[in-house]
Amino acid sequence: MRKNLKTKSYMYPLPVLIVGTYDENGVPDAMNAAWGTICDTVQVAIVLSATHKTVKNLLKTRAFTVAMADSDNVLPADYVGIVSANDVPDKLQKTGWHITKSEFVNAPVIEELPLVLECKLVSYDTDTEICIGEVVNVSADEKILSDGKIDLTKFRPLCYDCDGHGYYTLGERVGQAFSDGKKLKSK
């Protein structure tokens, strides 16, 4: 039996995205954002409230990074989501993360986060608060790669549960895309 849950924003899994920027003085900032996705082959879309320091920064620099948090970074990933750089400008110092500048855009790369999309700002809609970025480079820590490809059993990216407010990880492989369904074709 099914139960109606009314209108809610349930889409699983929601990746825990850490959006990084530099301010006008070159101070790095990062925030936790769960409402994001791929919207084209080389574009990402993330809903970001205009009140965030990160948004103010990316509108000035026209660049940002999107890193996917993993199970090793639950505490700092949550911290950058509950503390605002509007109030604590140097909030990244408490995370223990090491910052390097992207070679491709004017935005920070957080070394501890194993997968980072380096983006140029395409657009920001003040009505919908949707930020679109063009991915100009993807950098990955070799520790999450197998044969040069992302290995989710090594990566273990965090996902956010918007109903229970929990963090979960991905990692177990249960099938082969574009293959397993062929078994039903012959029936």
Side-chain angles (χ1 to χ4, degrees):
M1 175 179 245
R2 300 187 65 79
K3 181 178 178 180
N4 292 322
L5 300 176
K6 303 204 176 111
T7 303
K8 299 194 179 198
S9 300
Y10 289 167
M11 181 70 70
Y12 292 100
L14 285 173
V16 176
L17 306 173
I18 306 300
V19 181
T21 59
Y22 285 120
D23 73 7
E24 61 277 357
N25 299 313
V27 176
D29 173 43
M31 66 171 283
N32 184 322
W35 308 106
T37 189
I38 295 167
C39 65
D40 195 356
T41 56
V42 295
Q43 289 187 342
V44 293
I46 308 170
V47 178
L48 300 171
S49 170
T51 60
H52 291 291
K53 176 71 172 163
T54 304
V55 173
K56 295 170 189 169
N57 292 344
L58 68 83
L59 289 173
K60 287 179 185 171
T61 63
R62 313 237 3 117
F64 59 100
T65 54
V66 181
M68 276 133 240
D70 64 351
S71 59
D72 292 337
N73 286 282
V74 173
L75 294 178
D78 192 54
Y79 172 78
V80 299
I82 60 177
V83 174
S84 172
N86 288 318
D87 303 321
V88 183
D90 61 349
K91 73 178 187 177
L92 286 184
Q93 289 182 359
K94 281 196 176 180
T95 64
W97 285 338
H98 298 90
I99 308 298
T100 58
K101 187 175 181 186
S102 164
E103 295 177 40
F104 300 90
V105 295
N106 183 23
V109 171
I110 300 168
E111 292 298 325
E112 286 75 11
L113 299 178
L115 185 64
V116 179
L117 310 178
E118 300 165 56
C119 303
K120 289 193 288 188
L121 180 65
V122 172
S123 64
Y124 181 79
D125 186 304
T126 55
D127 292 329
T128 63
E129 298 185 321
I130 294 174
C131 173
I132 306 288
E134 176 189 346
V135 179
V136 297
N137 186 56
V138 176
S139 63
D141 190 312
E142 289 181 2
K143 72 180 183 184
I144 67 166
L145 301 178
S146 291
D147 299 320
K149 296 180 182 178
I150 305 298
D151 183 335
L152 289 177
T153 62
K154 292 179 178 180
F155 181 11
R156 300 191 40 81
L158 285 183
C159 298
Y160 172 63
D161 171 11
C162 58
D163 199 29
H165 304 286
Y167 292 118
Y168 296 85
T169 59
L170 291 178
E172 180 184 0
R173 185 178 181 132
V174 297
Q176 181 65 38
F178 307 105
S179 177
D180 290 351
K182 292 177 183 176
K183 294 172 188 161
L184 297 178
K185 285 179 120 177
S186 62
K187 285 187 174 188

